[in-house]
Amino acid sequence: REMGALALSVALDPDAHRSQHPLASFAALGPKAEDLTAQHDLRDPFGRRSPLGRALELDADVLLLGVDQTRNAAFYLAQCLAGVPSI
């Protein structure tokens, strides 16, 4: 409910692929969607073994529409890569 209209529409799209993480799942559309969401490590919800980490490997871009940086999940990946402990 706090994801925004675009993220919600992707998550509800019947063609979307969704990762299986119980608390931090990601949904994706497009030719790489299945690869991005296929294996979402339960111990690494936002790190290299997450859809965000795989998106980084693919040199993906982040697009924010109608929201500010407080909704940018890519910051969690940055924290993981920098070794910042989670709270």
Side-chain angles (χ1 to χ4, degrees), residues 35-82:
D35 292 337
L36 286 169
T37 58
Q39 295 181 17
H40 193 163
D41 192 307
L42 293 176
R43 297 162 298 167
D44 192 27
F46 301 107
R48 287 204 181 270
R49 296 181 312 253
S50 72
L52 287 173
R54 279 191 289 291
L56 175 67
E57 290 172 4
L58 295 171
D59 198 30
D61 294 316
V62 174
L63 174 64
L64 301 175
L65 294 173
V67 295
D68 60 21
Q69 292 292 342
T70 62
R71 298 289 182 220
N72 187 353
F75 276 119
Y76 296 124
L77 173 61
Q79 286 178 319
C80 290
L81 296 177

